[in-house]
Amino acid sequence: MRFFAPYIGGSVAGKPAICDRYSMKDQESQKLYEEALQYMPGGVNSPVRAFRQVNRNPLFIEKGKGSRIYDADGNEFIDYVGSYGPLILGHAREEVVEAVREAAACGLTFGAPTRREIRLTELIQECVPSMEMVRLVNSGTEAVMSALRLARGYTGRKKIIKFTGCYHGHSDGLLAKAGSGLLTQALPDSLGVPKAFTKHTLLADYNDTESVKELFHKYKGEIAAVIVEPVAANMGVVLPEENFLSFLRKITDDNGSLLVFDEVITGFRLALGGAQEYFQVKPDLTTLGKIVGGGMPIGAYGGRREIMEKIAPLGPVYQAGTLSGNPLSTAAGIKTLELLKSSQGLYEELAAKGELLRSRIQTAGKGRIKVNSIGSLLCIYFTEGEIRDYNSALTAGVKDYAIFFEYLLENGIYAAPSQFEAMFLSGAHTAEDVEYTAQTIEKYFGSI
Ligand code: PLP
């Protein structure tokens, strides 16, 4: 049973077939999907995995190695999702898997402090020096939720400014014009979040300094923090314009508010020190997730010592977690960060591959697409205008993307099943992978 008619190749609006591999088998994935639907809402445990925006049913993945993933029907793909960010070293990197195996053999969780927590927080602090103290949690959502509670507790103020189209996890107060999953589903907000819970969340426009100034003017002395994705990677990939981040630094300083960088995606991805190193802007608090756990569930927040000292047990801001800093996540995180630290030239290499893809794809799709990229993050928008904020991102053609997505799948390339998610490059993507991807996409734009 298919719930959405899939695009099955052949001719597109009367034009010749764009590829000759419309033979991808997905019977086993379909069978699994039908089974999954009986037990899980939409057959998935996170909405974007349901592939709804691309009008097909999801593929079930069996395994991954390096840049490749393999689905239940045995199809092999070059993977540009990378589990939405954590896998900067590729799938099943041996040293990381071995570290997890070793940790697992000694016990999965203790509810007591361990050496690995010290090592991981030490590594985080070395890479991101603004995080003078760190608290480990279990997801990016938890990191952001806790960091904002801390910002409110520290400043004694209630209001938070967030940017339209930025996603900071699914905690109640932040489900106001969040990105990707919500954009994908065109839900302006989520049912089940009382208005009172978002009452103190103020919305500004990304890259629009005036909208921020207006809020600071209107709510003088009430704003605890501004939270921002320093590169917005949940409405595709939107780069901060020159001085946008330093403007946020200054206006928060001038008003006694905190600046929170949500680096759940950009942390250890744009540079070892994240976006704050890349753009040389230092926030008061930083939230991390994804790469910091090397593929295991984790989150972290941290910042200036005097702020972090407000957290329990030192201070009155309560935050806790049974599995926080657990041996498996910390083992994977430590090994990943150690490998990143010792990989000479990795970030330059990733940026060169990203730029190669950007320029080749942009040239091939001239007039039809806009490709935004930075470092190892990339997004192909099916619109020709500049994408600099939420409204311009929304001009992208979701239907065009769905057709393109199916073409990529049929040609062995796995991109995100949503126009508004980034493509993620990893150190495991070879020059051949990138060349194949560029050529495949050039072929697409050359033939439609
Ligand atoms: N912040 C950002 C910038 C994210 O991209 C995400 C997830 O994609 C989150 C927070 C939430 O992280 P998690 O899904 O681990 O809860």
Side-chain angles (χ1 to χ4, degrees):
M1 171 176 35
R2 281 184 190 270
F3 287 76
F4 297 92
Y7 173 66
I8 48 158
S11 66
V12 182
K15 291 186 181 149
I18 49 176
C19 94
D20 50 16
R21 200 201 132 184
Y22 290 107
S23 56
M24 192 185 83
K25 293 190 178 64
D26 64 358
Q27 285 88 339
E28 189 59 23
S29 275
Q30 295 309 315
K31 222 172 84 194
L32 291 168
Y33 182 51
E34 282 166 38
E35 216 177 304
L37 284 169
Q38 296 174 46
Y39 306 110
M40 292 169 274
V44 292
N45 281 307
S46 197
V48 76
R49 296 180 197 169
F51 278 40
R52 292 198 165 201
Q53 199 195 79
V54 290
N55 303 323
R56 75 164 355 268
N57 297 334
L59 300 179
F60 279 65
I61 306 304
E62 291 286 349
K63 62 179 181 182
K65 186 70 193 160
S67 64
R68 307 300 166 111
I69 51 170
Y70 302 83
D71 72 9
D73 291 271
N75 298 305
E76 176 178 340
F77 301 96
I78 303 174
D79 179 24
Y80 287 100
V81 177
S83 193
Y84 296 95
L87 301 180
I88 194 164
L89 297 172
H91 291 273
R93 173 82 177 234
E94 255 151 50
E95 298 94 318
V96 178
V97 173
E98 189 44 43
V100 173
R101 199 176 279 133
E102 205 180 285
C106 294
L108 301 182
T109 176
F110 307 111
T114 60
R115 284 175 198 275
R116 286 193 186 87
E117 290 163 87
I118 302 175
R119 179 65 185 138
L120 182 58
T121 49
E122 177 192 38
L123 275 165
I124 292 171
Q125 207 273 324
E126 277 170 24
C127 298
V128 190
S130 75
M131 297 177 77
E132 293 168 13
M133 293 187 100
V134 180
R135 170 63 60 89
L136 298 178
V137 292
N138 299 295
S139 68
T141 296
E142 209 184 324
V144 174
M145 184 186 80
S146 311
L148 293 185
R149 180 182 302 152
L150 174 61
R152 286 177 164 129
Y154 176 78
T155 58
R157 300 173 179 183
K158 291 190 182 133
K159 303 218 179 288
I160 302 289
I161 295 180
K162 88 172 270 292
F163 293 92
T164 310
C166 282
Y167 178 66
H168 302 292
H170 63 91
S171 66
D172 284 344
L174 292 168
L175 281 181
K177 287 276 192 303
S180 54
L182 287 170
L183 283 187
T184 297
Q185 298 194 2
L187 293 175
D189 219 325
S190 168
L191 213 63
V193 178
K195 277 212 177 91
F197 287 26
T198 49
K199 190 172 130 195
H200 298 299
T201 308
L202 308 172
L203 291 172
D205 289 323
Y206 200 80
N207 277 328
D208 180 354
T209 54
E210 284 310 312
S211 67
V212 181
K213 280 184 199 161
E214 274 171 33
L215 289 174
F216 269 100
H217 182 69
K218 188 165 174 194
Y219 297 98
K220 200 163 178 52
E222 293 182 65
I223 294 168
V226 173
I227 182 161
V228 66
E229 284 183 79
V231 168
N234 282 287
M235 47 176 162
V237 175
V238 180
L239 275 59
E241 288 171 0
E242 216 180 333
N243 300 330
F244 178 59
L245 297 175
S246 50
F247 159 80
L248 295 180
R249 178 63 284 173
K250 176 150 179 17
I251 198 164
T252 44
D253 277 344
D254 290 350
N255 288 277
S257 309
L258 300 184
L259 179 61
V260 184
F261 274 6
D262 181 351
E263 297 230 40
V264 166
I265 285 186
T266 53
F268 310 103
R269 179 162 285 281
L270 284 194
L272 201 53
Q276 53 198 273
E277 177 187 321
Y278 191 97
F279 294 108
Q280 290 293 304
V281 175
K282 190 173 162 184
D284 300 296
L285 292 172
T286 300
T287 57
L288 299 171
K290 304 198 190 239
I291 292 175
V292 75
M296 297 293 293
I298 205 166
Y301 65 101
R304 283 190 2 235
R305 182 173 294 270
E306 56 163 329
I307 305 173
M308 293 300 288
E309 282 176 350
K310 294 279 183 241
I311 300 170
L314 285 186
V317 177
Y318 192 71
Q319 187 271 308
T322 301
L323 295 174
S324 295
N326 72 81
L328 271 56
S329 298
T330 47
I334 290 165
K335 188 49 76 180
T336 299
L337 297 196
E338 284 177 347
L339 287 166
L340 288 174
K341 272 188 87 176
S342 61
S343 308
Q344 291 291 324
L346 173 72
Y347 290 99
E348 290 78 4
E349 213 178 279
L350 285 170
K353 286 178 186 154
E355 175 52 22
L356 185 143
L357 281 177
R358 190 205 61 77
S359 63
R360 296 263 299 267
I361 297 168
Q362 185 62 77
T363 304
K366 195 164 180 284
R368 281 173 282 180
I369 54 168
K370 177 75 181 87
V371 188
N372 278 4
S373 85
I374 181 167
S376 53
L377 295 167
L378 183 108
C379 181
I380 305 165
Y381 292 97
F382 280 77
T383 182
E384 50 184 310
E386 289 297 316
I387 309 291
R388 59 182 297 270
D389 56 15
Y390 176 75
N391 283 333
S392 47
L394 285 188
T395 63
V398 172
K399 284 191 188 139
D400 292 337
Y401 183 83
I403 296 168
F404 175 66
F405 172 83
E406 191 70 25
Y407 166 83
L408 292 181
L409 272 191
E410 292 285 351
N411 284 279
I413 296 169
Y414 188 86
S418 160
Q419 168 69 96
F420 303 108
E421 298 284 354
M423 283 174 83
F424 294 91
L425 274 157
S426 78
H429 286 90
T430 61
E432 291 73 34
D433 290 338
V434 172
E435 180 58 32
Y436 171 78
T437 305
Q439 279 183 21
T440 304
I441 296 176
E442 283 168 343
K443 195 168 149 205
Y444 180 81
F445 287 112
S447 57
I448 59 168

